[in-house]
């Protein structure tokens, strides 16, 4: 059985790590490629668990030695996936999941057009801001400048959504996890003839609905909220009132579709 290569991209804070770790808990036979990066560890991250952390000089030496399948500069740091991760997953007969940015995804697709690519979107800029802040607080660093840097980059990344086979909108977590699981099971079914143990018809339907070509209606409000389609063509993202702003009542969360997603410390 040939392993399937899954590429997952998303704007930072969309919930990609959360979805991937849920997927790995629920579906066996998926390996996760640990990338190399020159960015310093965040929060409780450990070398060799979330990333292999290194320095620019070493990273450059690895580029020159042709070690990387793909690499890119994201938010001022280098990130790369080694060819070795791919070979290892192949020899184990496992599927491999790459969590990489839109530049890296384009490089991998060019080399391996058979890869299945999945783009995860946050429902709107306001929810994305809340998630980025909650994550940053959970990691013990509140850096609003960095939060806004990532928010402002989100639209550029989302603009690439058409390059991806599947699109998930990570609004309700359980639903997004079920969709991600359905995509993996459906691809195994179509490519490797693997049977689906439970409610196979439904699983295939859920996966088909996530295909990018079937998602235009579902994506419309998200693309509008990020100013990618619609008449506004806005240059600035609309985050709604900022609960951190002194003039705004923090309880006034009207219009937030994720009622359970207020800026809290207990995320
Ligand atoms: P990414 O890996 O895309 O940068 P994370 O997985 O770290 O994002 O998620 C960012 C924050 O959003 C985390 O605090 C996470 O618990 C939260 N989160 C993720 N998905 C959801 C969701 N569907 N609903 C509410 N909160 C979510
Ligand atoms: P973070 O610093 O938040 O962990 O990741 C920032 C961005 O870098 C995310 O979009 C993530 O997908 C991307 N990234 C992580 N590892 C790699 C990699 O190996 N290659 C590329 N191209 N991007 C990566």
């Amino acid at each position: 059985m040939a392993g399937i290569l899954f590429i997952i991209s998303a704007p930072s804070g969309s919930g990609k790590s959360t979805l991937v770790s849920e997927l790995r808990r629920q579906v066996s036979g998926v390996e996760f490629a640990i990338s190399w990066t020159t960015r310093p560890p965040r929060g409780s991250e450990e070398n060799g668990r979330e990333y292999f952390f290194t320095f620019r000089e070493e990273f450059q030496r690895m580029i020159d030695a042709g070690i990387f399948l793909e690499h890119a500069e994201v938010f001022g740091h280098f990130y790369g996936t080694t060819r070795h991760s791919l070979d290892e997953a192949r020899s184990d007969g496992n599927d491999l999941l790459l969590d990489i940015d839109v530049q890296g995804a384009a490089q991998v697709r060019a080399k391996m057009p058979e890869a299945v690519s999945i783009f995860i979107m946050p429902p709107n800029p306001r929810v994305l801001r809340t998630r980025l802040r909650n994550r940053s607080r959970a990691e013990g660093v509140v850096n609003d400048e960095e939060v806004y840097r990532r928010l402002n980059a989100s639209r550029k990344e989302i603009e690439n959504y058409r390059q991806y086979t599947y699109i998930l909108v990570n609004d309700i977590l359980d639903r997004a996890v079920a969709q991600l699981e359905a995509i993996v099971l459906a691809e195994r079914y179509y490519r490797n003839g693997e049977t689906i143990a439970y409610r196979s018809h439904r699983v295939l339907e859920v996966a088909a609905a996530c295909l990018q070509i079937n998602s235009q209606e579902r994506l419309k409000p998200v693309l509008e909220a990020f100013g990618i389609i619609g008449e506004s063509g806005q240059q600035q993202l609309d985050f709604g009132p900022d609960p951190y702003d002194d003039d705004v009542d923090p309880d006034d969360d009207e219009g937030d579709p994720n009622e359970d997603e207020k800026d809290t410390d207990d995320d």
Side-chain angles (χ1 to χ4, degrees):
M1 185 198 79
I4 303 170
L5 180 62
F6 291 98
I7 301 170
I8 298 204
S9 304
S12 183
S14 309
K16 186 177 42 176
S17 317
T18 310
L19 289 175
V20 168
S21 67
E22 279 303 307
L23 176 77
R24 294 177 73 206
R25 260 180 358 107
Q26 296 184 22
V27 179
S28 59
V30 183
E31 269 178 42
F32 177 75
I34 302 173
S35 300
W36 287 76
T37 183
T38 59
R39 90 149 158 74
R42 238 178 11 214
S44 59
E45 286 180 336
E46 278 178 27
N47 191 32
R49 193 178 62 189
E50 285 82 6
Y51 284 104
F52 293 111
F53 296 98
T54 188
F55 300 102
R56 265 181 182 254
E57 297 71 26
E58 179 59 19
F59 198 98
Q60 188 57 54
R61 268 197 292 276
M62 292 173 77
I63 296 175
D64 297 342
I67 284 171
F68 290 116
L69 171 68
E70 64 74 35
H71 63 88
E73 190 169 347
V74 188
F75 301 125
H77 301 291
F78 283 127
Y79 294 81
T81 314
T82 59
R83 294 176 192 280
H84 176 72
S85 346
L86 193 65
D87 297 339
E88 208 170 42
R90 272 197 184 133
S91 66
D92 295 345
N94 282 333
D95 296 334
L96 182 67
L97 208 141
L98 307 183
D99 165 352
I100 57 180
D101 84 315
V102 293
Q103 308 167 72
Q107 294 172 37
V108 176
R109 258 195 307 266
K111 287 179 189 156
M112 312 179 74
E114 72 282 8
V116 177
S117 56
I118 304 165
F119 193 84
I120 297 168
M121 292 194 192
N124 58 52
R126 188 173 182 188
V127 165
L128 184 58
R129 180 177 65 187
T130 303
R131 288 187 189 162
L132 278 166
R133 280 178 171 163
N134 285 346
R135 185 182 72 182
S136 146
R137 241 176 287 160
E139 285 164 352
V141 264
V142 182
N143 182 346
D144 233 28
E145 200 180 307
E146 185 60 28
V147 164
Y148 273 93
R149 193 149 89 104
R150 288 177 181 240
L151 280 170
N152 287 320
S154 63
R155 178 174 33 197
K156 273 237 125 351
E157 293 169 69
I158 293 174
E159 276 172 359
N160 292 280
Y161 80 97
R162 281 202 190 78
Q163 316 299 325
Y164 289 74
T165 324
Y166 292 98
I167 314 285
L168 294 189
V169 178
N170 180 19
D171 192 345
I172 298 160
L173 185 62
D174 288 352
R175 186 171 60 194
V177 171
Q179 289 171 334
L180 185 55
E181 191 177 334
I183 291 169
V184 171
L185 298 181
E187 288 292 333
R188 285 178 177 178
Y189 171 81
Y190 289 121
R191 290 173 185 234
N192 298 333
E194 240 179 76
T195 50
I196 300 172
Y198 180 66
R199 299 184 72 201
S200 56
H201 211 74
R202 181 73 193 128
V203 168
L204 295 177
E205 263 174 25
V206 169
C210 295
L211 281 167
Q212 188 255 120
I213 48 167
N214 295 336
S215 297
Q216 285 311 311
E217 273 310 304
R218 189 169 53 99
L219 295 185
K220 214 166 150 222
V222 183
L223 298 174
E224 278 172 358
F226 281 93
I228 292 166
I229 58 168
E231 53 205 47
S232 60
Q234 65 213 55
Q235 291 308 302
Q236 293 293 317
L237 290 180
D238 179 9
F239 302 114
D242 188 338
Y244 278 13
D245 194 328
D246 290 344
D247 295 337
V248 174
D249 174 358
D251 292 329
D252 177 14
D253 216 26
E254 217 180 350
D256 187 339
N258 259 356
E259 277 306 310
D260 57 344
E261 274 210 280
K262 299 192 176 134
D263 275 324
T264 59
D265 278 327
D266 55 8
D267 186 63

